[in-house]
Amino acid sequence: MQVLRIPVVFLGPFEPDFLSADDVLRVLRGRFPGVDFRPYNVNSVNDAYAFLRAEGDAVGYLVLNVRVVHQGVVRAIVESGKPIVYIARTMEGSPNYLMDVVEARRAGYPVLSVATEDVLSDAVLNRVRYLVALGQIRGSRVLLVTARNLINYMSWAFPNATELSRAVAELQRRVGLTVDFMDLREFIDRYYSKVTDAEAEPWVEAWVKGASQVVDPSRVDIVKAARLYLAMLRAARERGDNVVAFDCIMNVSTGLIDAWPCLGYMQLWYDGLIPVCEADLYAILPLLIGRYLFNRPGFVNDPGVDEVNNRLIYWHCYAPTNPHGSGKPEVPYIITDAHGGSKHASIHVKLPVNEPVTVMSYNPATNTLSLHVAKAIDNIYWKQLCATKLVATGDARRIAAKWVTENGYHRVLIYGDFREEVKEFAVLMGIRVVEEDQ
């Protein structure tokens, strides 16, 4: 990714004996190394419009208001339509904050604002990270490997297109990321077929050694999974992609490839890449939010509700083994077959319990993010259905009643209760949020 640039707007004169622009920039650059915080002093309406012309292509703006300025200056910026984190000092900044910024928020502009005495507190800097995450999300490239006919269907997006076809175009338009299509045949010819069993064997050995158990009777399928992992990794690295979406069910159904990506997806998190189960387009933004805003790998899952016992079960054939974002495995896993023995090289991950989890999905066509929070309480190992099954408590009845069907069946689960942060981040992105458990 390119160096992320975030313009910093200083409204009105900053007094060096109180708080200088250099003080602010020093703190920002220390907290977010590698980000180009570019300062602008804006004191007049002319300054405001000159700034907007100069930085029209920036991901968003950080605005600091510690002096009362002309209303036209503030409104020109907060009503520009750009994502803005606006920080106002309690006394000196409140006139503009209450008269201009609050009004812009009511009007629906993507402005996330806070007024406080300490404009360099952790509460403030934690909001600055929203702009950093937004830049990383918009700079993302998704390697989407699937059959040619599906690529045509998704990339052409005719006016009479269904939601699947519209989803790619809307994801790129609303989120700003890039989708890098690759035909399955090309992927096999250029990458998968070039990986030998000998190259794959060290990864097979590492995965087997790292597992608490290996109950899958088919070592051949684990070798195929390792070959697929190396092929996905090489393709993403060569093409500059940070997200890998291998459309496994469709790809295997073509008969052209018989390898499953579950073990490879587990490993890709440690390579700094973001895997997308079943190439689910509605899972991509939640996965990116989890990774770049909270440093949490996401668990794409099939959810189930138990309304009698007020529980939920989230299952799939793989989950991250570093659910808190560590650079090394945090929880044990079993290499197993699944779906009654019909699918091999799956993993059962014993995910953490007694912790809150945030569960999301995003439909780019409707620009709606669904959200609920639950508490993980148990793991189930059972070879029927998918291999990993996490049990949680939550308001199952309400979640079922308010289920956002337009967001599909899958959900993305990340560890931690990030309800409020996700809602704030959605403001910056101009996304509608539906809380399924509220």
Side-chain angles (χ1 to χ4, degrees):
M1 293 185 182
Q2 296 180 337
V3 174
L4 174 61
R5 182 181 84 254
I6 297 178
V8 184
V9 177
F10 296 95
L11 293 178
F14 273 54
E15 297 180 7
D17 58 345
F18 161 60
L19 180 68
S20 72
D22 288 341
D23 292 333
V24 173
L25 293 170
R26 183 172 58 254
V27 171
L28 290 173
R29 290 164 179 164
R31 183 71 169 260
F32 305 100
V35 177
D36 177 13
F37 289 102
R38 191 166 299 180
Y40 287 85
N41 294 310
V42 175
N43 300 303
S44 68
V45 174
N46 285 343
D47 288 346
Y49 284 109
F51 161 73
L52 292 173
R53 287 192 295 270
E55 291 289 359
D57 63 343
V59 66
Y61 309 141
L62 172 61
V63 180
L64 286 99
N65 180 196
V66 298
R67 286 289 181 271
V68 180
V69 295
H70 192 286
Q71 281 188 298
V73 175
V74 176
R75 293 194 177 224
I77 295 173
V78 297
E79 295 180 4
S80 66
K82 297 290 290 188
I84 292 171
V85 172
Y86 191 103
I87 311 301
R89 193 161 187 264
T90 297
M91 290 185 290
E92 297 92 331
S94 281
N96 290 119
Y97 185 83
L98 295 174
M99 298 303 294
D100 306 317
V101 179
V102 171
E103 187 67 24
R105 290 178 56 180
R106 286 176 184 153
Y109 288 99
V111 178
L112 180 62
S113 61
V114 61
T116 180
E117 271 294 291
D118 184 359
V119 297
L120 291 180
S121 66
D122 282 343
V124 169
L125 295 174
N126 283 339
R127 287 171 169 83
V128 175
R129 71 189 168 108
Y130 293 166
L131 286 174
V132 177
L134 182 59
Q136 292 171 312
I137 288 171
R138 291 194 168 165
S140 291
R141 289 176 51 89
V142 180
L143 174 63
L144 202 165
V145 181
T146 191
R148 169 55 57 188
N149 60 335
L150 284 176
I151 290 176
N152 292 341
Y153 186 64
M154 289 186 285
S155 61
W156 291 349
F158 291 122
N160 62 344
T162 61
E163 280 199 7
L164 173 62
S165 179
R166 290 176 57 205
V168 169
E170 291 297 320
L171 191 63
Q172 294 184 108
R173 181 175 74 87
R174 295 186 189 276
V175 177
L177 53 72
T178 300
V179 176
D180 177 20
F181 288 108
M182 177 175 275
D183 176 35
L184 176 60
R185 291 180 184 274
E186 180 187 0
F187 175 79
I188 293 171
D189 291 344
R190 291 184 58 186
Y191 298 103
Y192 182 70
S193 67
K194 303 292 178 60
V195 181
T196 66
D197 287 356
E199 290 178 284
E201 195 60 37
W203 286 104
V204 174
E205 291 298 324
W207 291 339
V208 168
K209 183 178 179 180
S212 59
Q213 287 181 269
V214 178
V215 297
D216 192 330
S218 175
R219 185 182 177 88
V220 171
D221 284 284
I222 302 175
V223 173
K224 292 175 184 176
R227 289 180 59 206
L228 179 56
Y229 159 65
L230 290 171
M232 293 188 295
L233 178 63
R234 291 169 184 175
R237 291 271 171 84
E238 184 177 296
R239 299 164 75 94
D241 300 324
N242 61 309
V243 181
V244 177
F246 184 82
D247 193 2
C248 56
I249 293 177
M250 289 298 176
N251 289 342
V252 171
S253 72
T254 66
L256 299 174
I257 192 169
D258 60 352
W260 293 95
C262 307
L263 281 159
Y265 277 178
M266 174 188 74
Q267 194 65 44
L268 286 176
W269 285 110
Y270 300 105
D271 298 311
L273 300 177
I274 300 170
V276 186
C277 278
E278 298 175 18
D280 183 356
L281 297 171
Y282 292 0
I284 291 175
L285 180 59
L287 286 167
L288 290 168
I289 289 173
R291 172 65 181 84
Y292 290 126
L293 192 55
F294 308 117
N295 190 34
R296 292 289 194 273
F299 170 33
V300 180
N301 63 79
D302 295 336
V305 293
D306 179 346
E307 294 180 307
V308 173
N309 297 299
N310 227 23
R311 293 186 175 188
L312 304 105
I313 302 178
Y314 307 99
W315 71 88
H316 235 218
C317 276
Y318 123 91
T321 51
N322 58 336
H324 299 113
S326 171
K328 59 183 180 180
E330 304 167 1
V331 291
Y333 65 92
I334 298 171
I335 301 177
T336 181
D337 50 330
H339 292 277
S342 64
K343 180 180 178 294
H344 295 278
S346 299
I347 56 173
H348 168 73
V349 180
K350 294 190 179 299
L351 290 164
V353 297
N354 298 318
E355 295 186 31
V357 293
T358 301
V359 186
M360 299 175 281
S361 182
Y362 172 69
N363 183 338
T366 62
N367 197 32
T368 301
L369 186 142
S370 60
L371 168 70
H372 68 260
V373 174
K375 181 181 179 181
I377 61 168
D378 199 7
N379 290 276
I380 298 172
Y381 177 50
W382 180 43
K383 287 191 178 185
Q384 296 300 320
L385 301 175
C386 294
T388 294
K389 301 175 183 70
L390 178 68
V391 183
T393 59
D395 196 339
R397 297 180 188 86
R398 186 179 294 273
I399 290 169
K402 292 190 65 177
W403 190 260
V404 183
T405 56
E406 295 84 358
N407 282 24
Y409 179 48
H410 278 166
R411 291 295 186 266
V412 176
L413 179 152
I414 61 173
Y415 269 79
D417 181 352
F418 296 114
R419 182 194 302 275
E420 296 307 317
E421 292 93 333
V422 169
K423 288 161 62 178
E424 287 187 330
F425 190 64
V427 170
L428 273 189
M429 296 196 70
I431 291 173
R432 172 177 172 257
V433 175
V434 176
E435 296 177 84
E436 294 172 321
D437 56 346
Q438 297 292 308

